[in-house]
Amino acid sequence: MKKKLNSNRFTLVLSGGGALGVAHLGILEYLEQREIVPAEVIGTSMGGIIGACIATGMKSTEIQELLGRFAGVKNWLKFSLSGNAIIEHDKIEEIFIEIFGQTMMHETAIPLKLIATNLGNGEKKVFGAGCDTALKDALLATMAIPGIFEEKTIGENVYGDGFLCENLGIGEAGCDDILAVDVMGSNSFPKELPANFFKSKNVLEMFERSLRVLICNQSRQLLAGSPKNICLIEPDTSAYRTYDFHKIDEITELGRVACSGIEPIFGE
């Protein structure tokens, strides 16, 4: 049985999951209410965006307001007819510059690690305090879903979304105690297969379900092999889609519910 976490020194790990990552805000509220601050934050994709906000001192209410901007897709969508992806990252980069300016990875108030994938060799890339990289650039790398969002070139390397190698970044934790929040875990897909009237809808749902199962199994292997003391929270995101940015309040509530079901997390 896992011990309770040390509230004075633990790593907060936030998974990727598109709009499902909004559930991370419910866990952040839990920490804020108890005035508990992680020693470091690790994030992948949407978990990386929220993690960056936490690491630079933003509160849950501020982050929720920020994510509201993603609900209006015209604020960040820029379609491209060339290249390898449907959506260019110009507008998203503008938002990141407005929020984080030219903050470097080593300048965050709380140490931050963002996970991306080197698309040239398939290897995991961890952007942390030791990298001479702007925070906005590392964020564009960790969230660049291949084929959907434009890949990010940093130096001589091209990077894509970190979910390809480690969606739940527990392997990079520097603390022995870890609070890991996985919105693409075992509670992210329904137990029954889709049964819609239109076959095309069933096919799309099966594709997303398969992706969630694949990512879930990746994380399960990491969890099983970790010697760390891990408290795992898996919000029930099965009823929502990775593009449901217009349901921010509902998805945030999923994080709150998940926390209430496992209290207390921390020891004295």
Side-chain angles (χ1 to χ4, degrees):
M1 181 176 180
K2 298 292 185 181
K3 298 181 296 182
K4 292 181 181 179
L5 303 183
N6 180 350
S7 61
N8 295 315
R9 183 167 176 76
F10 71 97
T11 297
L12 177 63
V13 178
L14 305 178
S15 78
L20 306 181
V22 175
H24 293 316
L25 293 180
I27 284 78
L28 179 55
E29 289 179 4
Y30 175 96
L31 297 177
E32 288 177 350
Q33 291 167 2
R34 291 157 180 77
E35 298 183 344
I36 296 174
V37 179
E40 68 172 351
V41 181
I42 300 174
T44 301
S45 201
M46 179 55 74
I49 295 174
I50 294 179
C53 293
I54 296 172
T56 53
M58 295 179 66
K59 300 299 182 183
S60 57
T61 52
E62 298 175 89
I63 301 173
Q64 188 161 4
E65 181 179 347
L66 165 64
L67 293 178
R69 299 180 62 175
F70 282 85
V73 293
K74 66 179 181 180
N75 294 329
W76 54 273
L77 279 183
K78 181 180 179 182
F79 292 104
S80 174
L81 297 177
S82 61
N84 302 316
I86 299 172
I87 303 170
E88 294 183 352
H89 54 51
D90 295 24
K91 289 188 175 181
I92 301 174
E93 183 171 14
E94 290 176 4
I95 294 175
F96 287 159
I97 291 175
E98 181 181 337
I99 299 166
F100 305 110
Q102 295 300 325
T103 299
M104 305 298 286
M105 288 297 300
H106 65 270
E107 294 177 328
T108 57
I110 300 173
L112 174 67
K113 296 173 184 174
L114 299 175
I115 297 175
T117 304
N118 186 319
L119 295 179
N121 57 24
E123 294 181 357
K124 177 173 64 177
K125 171 64 178 180
V126 181
F127 292 98
C131 298
D132 186 23
T133 305
L135 176 55
K136 67 175 181 64
D137 291 335
L139 287 172
L140 289 172
T142 189
M143 63 163 285
I145 303 173
I148 304 298
F149 291 102
E150 180 183 5
E151 62 272 10
K152 178 62 179 175
T153 299
I154 301 176
E156 298 180 353
N157 297 306
V158 181
Y159 297 102
D161 200 302
F163 86 84
L164 294 170
C165 52
E166 193 168 340
N167 195 57
L168 186 65
I170 59 174
E172 301 304 322
C175 300
D176 291 331
D177 284 5
I178 300 173
L179 175 56
V181 188
D182 192 0
V183 300
M184 293 283 275
S186 59
N187 292 330
S188 69
F189 46 91
K191 305 310 178 228
E192 297 180 356
L193 298 183
N196 302 295
F197 179 79
F198 292 105
K199 183 176 181 178
S200 58
K201 187 173 183 180
N202 289 334
V203 171
L204 290 173
E205 289 190 13
M206 283 298 291
F207 178 79
E208 178 156 352
R209 177 192 183 92
S210 298
L211 184 61
R212 295 190 190 194
V213 171
L214 179 67
I215 293 174
C216 177
N217 282 326
Q218 174 202 86
S219 298
R220 282 173 176 168
Q221 291 183 342
L222 289 169
L223 288 162
S226 176
K228 305 278 189 174
N229 179 40
I230 303 173
C231 175
L232 176 65
I233 299 178
E234 296 179 295
D236 185 354
T237 56
S238 60
Y240 297 86
R241 301 292 173 260
T242 53
Y243 48 81
D244 282 344
F245 287 100
H246 59 294
K247 298 181 179 180
I248 288 177
D249 292 339
E250 295 174 40
I251 299 177
T252 299
E253 182 62 22
L254 300 180
R256 297 190 187 107
V257 171
C259 269
S260 65
I262 62 170
E263 294 187 280
I265 298 173
F266 296 94
E268 297 180 357

